[in-house]
Amino acid sequence: MSSLLFLSACSPGSPAAEDDTTASADTAGDAEVIRAEPREVASIAPRVVISHEEGLVTLDGESGETLDTVEEPGFFRLNNAGDGQHVIVTAGNEFRVYNAGVQAQPHGDHFHYYESNPGLTGATFDADYAGHVVLHNGRTTLFADGTGEITTFTSADLAYGEPSVDQTGADNPHHGVAIELTDGTMLTTQGTEESRSTVQHMEVAEDGSTEVLAETTDCPGVHGEAAAAAEESAEPSDVVVFGCENGPVVFRDGDFHKVDVEPEYQRSGNLAGSEESSIVLGDWKVDPDAEQERPTEVALINSLEDSVETVDLGSSYWFRSLARGDDGEAMVLTYNGQLNVIDEETGEVTERIDAIEAWEEKEDWQQPGPILKAADGKAYVTDAENQQLVIIDLDSAEVEQRIDLDVTPVEMAVVTGSAEAPKHKASGSGDHDHGDEEEHDHDH
């Protein structure tokens, strides 16, 4: 990791600025660390970070006010960093850290809320062909496709300075993904630039060396992962689903389990999980010869029973169309402009909400198109063609507001101040030391 000037929110225990965010400096190793002092406030609104062809823009998720702009042409991918405050900006050969400027810190039976000025922190993680960002159990895992390098750190440490990182790697460079589990072991894909069909469960030593504990080679074209709710147990455990081209594979209880599907070719490379549900939402593609398949069915993958149910929505979707609600409900934005809310247990479509005008996926996945995100009881939908952000209240199933944008959105992250994948409450006493404590998507 290379550390540049670091601008980030300080500990909530620090003195708060009276009016505006101020900055203080200290050092982390040989690098100067600049911290933005947060202001304590009575409440916070979500922050919406949007990438576009000329940079980034951050909005107040309630008023629609523009809070920050970054002017830098390029194609930037956005992922929540895990701590509820930062966003990982994927830019070519590095992961950058962006401070969205909101924190919700638990304190007994209530929260304290803090705001700071949003902006790029200057911190970067070098990565040859930076790829997937995965959040789980208070940890953030980055995968570099060009080298197979895997970098993991405690998500919450982003708010205090340069995070201490653990590094290991896959055997060969490939478009891969990795996730650190609750006990400190690692799941990662293995393959090459030409093909990949293996997922391994590994023990990672302090020096980054690995020992394979279990593996499956029955996952051709493996792409993406999603964690799901495990069965209740005295010891925390992990359930993770991976997408393949012959049906998904599930990691559970220390081993891999194949999900039987009827089509010989069935690809679910784009998955949306929720740790409130054992069901994982995925796309459902069955035509190996299609240059750009436009399915109307989605998959509901039962990660405890190794089974799958499909739901036909009657309209197609793309990889940025999948999301999960606070209670695990599955959501899909379809070509007809509707937000479909699905009861993941029954497969019933409980709501069809008119969100945006009808649309269709472009031939190039990097071109702007609608994006769906969900947070704190609301769905956030971008309308690229009409340059709007649409906010939907999921309780009332009604559009709450439409915010006009000055840019055409390419990617979006919604940050609420609360950790997106917090550390499991029962997992703090293991031998794996994490330091100071915490969707995958496109078809290339």
Side-chain angles (χ1 to χ4, degrees):
M1 181 184 132
S2 65
S3 178
L4 304 179
L5 201 62
F6 198 103
L7 175 63
S8 181
C10 187
S11 164
S14 303
E18 294 181 1
D19 297 308
D20 298 313
T21 301
T22 60
S24 61
D26 59 15
T27 60
D30 296 327
E32 185 178 27
V33 178
I34 304 298
R35 307 178 190 274
E37 302 287 0
R39 304 175 291 271
E40 186 165 7
V41 293
S43 63
I44 54 176
R47 300 275 173 91
V48 181
V49 184
I50 291 172
S51 68
H52 55 96
E53 63 179 7
E54 297 298 329
L56 306 174
V57 61
T58 298
L59 308 176
D60 182 295
E62 289 184 354
S63 68
E65 176 189 0
T66 297
L67 303 175
D68 181 60
T69 59
V70 175
E71 296 181 3
E72 180 181 346
F75 179 76
F76 302 111
R77 307 205 63 209
L78 303 178
N79 287 277
N80 291 65
D83 65 341
Q85 176 182 351
H86 293 87
V87 172
I88 300 295
V89 181
T90 305
N93 290 326
E94 63 182 7
F95 297 99
R96 301 179 184 177
V97 180
Y98 183 92
N99 176 14
V102 286
Q103 293 174 282
Q105 293 293 333
H107 187 250
D109 61 353
H110 62 280
F111 286 83
H112 286 261
Y113 302 106
Y114 300 85
E115 288 184 346
S116 56
N117 293 340
L120 285 166
T121 69
T124 64
F125 300 86
D126 292 337
D128 189 5
Y129 290 98
H132 280 285
V133 178
V134 177
L135 313 176
H136 184 60
N137 188 44
R139 298 278 282 175
T140 305
T141 302
L142 313 175
F143 196 97
D145 291 350
T147 60
E149 184 178 63
I150 300 166
T151 301
T152 308
F153 57 88
T154 299
S155 309
D157 285 354
L158 288 172
Y160 298 91
E162 179 182 351
S164 174
V165 302
D166 295 322
Q167 289 188 316
T168 186
D171 293 340
N172 297 291
H174 66 284
H175 181 56
V177 65
I179 176 173
E180 186 181 274
L181 302 183
T182 303
D183 61 1
T185 59
M186 181 82 67
L187 291 175
T188 188
T189 57
Q190 295 284 7
T192 66
E193 295 179 0
E194 288 72 36
S195 66
R196 55 190 189 273
S197 60
T198 299
V199 186
Q200 291 181 338
H201 179 214
M202 306 187 306
E203 182 81 45
V204 183
E206 289 186 3
D207 64 359
S209 61
T210 61
E211 176 188 354
V212 177
L213 305 176
E215 75 172 16
T216 177
T217 59
D218 191 17
C219 191
V222 55
H223 183 276
E225 56 69 47
E231 292 180 304
E232 291 189 6
S233 170
E235 293 295 326
S237 59
D238 304 273
V239 176
V240 183
V241 177
F242 290 84
C244 315
E245 292 179 351
N246 62 348
V249 68
V250 179
F251 176 83
R252 185 182 66 251
D253 299 328
D255 207 353
F256 293 95
H257 308 265
K258 192 67 180 176
V259 177
D260 290 331
V261 295
E262 290 186 4
E264 182 177 347
Y265 174 91
Q266 190 284 306
R267 187 179 192 278
S268 293
N270 305 301
L271 305 174
S274 166
E275 297 202 25
E276 300 300 317
S277 172
S278 61
I279 308 297
V280 169
L281 172 67
D283 55 352
W284 184 263
K285 295 183 177 180
V286 295
D287 185 355
D289 300 320
E291 290 187 10
Q292 190 174 37
E293 189 172 354
R294 303 180 189 274
T296 61
E297 289 183 299
V298 293
L300 297 175
I301 304 162
N302 190 317
S303 65
L304 300 182
E305 299 179 359
D306 307 323
S307 61
V308 63
E309 176 185 355
T310 61
V311 179
D312 195 332
L313 300 174
S315 181
S316 192
Y317 54 91
W318 73 326
F319 75 92
R320 294 191 178 102
S321 289
L322 310 180
R324 302 300 293 271
D326 295 341
D327 297 323
E329 66 270 36
M331 289 181 281
V332 184
L333 181 72
T334 45
Y335 279 10
N336 58 12
Q338 291 184 334
L339 175 63
N340 299 263
V341 181
I342 307 168
D343 183 318
E344 81 282 10
E345 296 290 343
T346 66
E348 177 189 0
V349 180
T350 58
E351 299 287 352
R352 297 183 189 270
I353 305 167
D354 292 328
I356 62 175
E357 293 181 5
W359 58 280
E360 190 171 286
E361 178 181 358
K362 297 180 174 67
E363 291 185 6
D364 185 349
W365 69 271
Q366 292 181 317
Q367 293 301 305
I371 311 160
L372 170 64
K373 299 290 181 180
D376 279 358
K378 300 184 190 301
Y380 296 79
V381 179
T382 62
D383 184 342
E385 294 300 321
N386 294 292
Q387 293 189 328
Q388 282 191 330
L389 171 65
V390 180
I391 302 177
I392 299 168
D393 183 280
L394 294 173
D395 286 335
S396 64
E398 294 182 353
V399 173
E400 193 172 83
Q401 59 178 319
R402 298 180 186 273
I403 299 171
D404 291 327
L405 304 173
D406 294 327
V407 300
T408 301
V410 174
E411 296 232 345
M412 173 174 61
V414 180
V415 177
T416 66
S418 296
E420 293 87 11
K423 187 174 179 65
H424 292 161
K425 292 181 181 179
S427 64
S429 59
D431 295 330
H432 188 75
D433 183 9
H434 289 322
D436 297 328
E437 250 15 44
E438 177 215 347
E439 74 264 11
H440 288 104
D441 37 20
H442 59 279
D443 302 326
H444 280 308

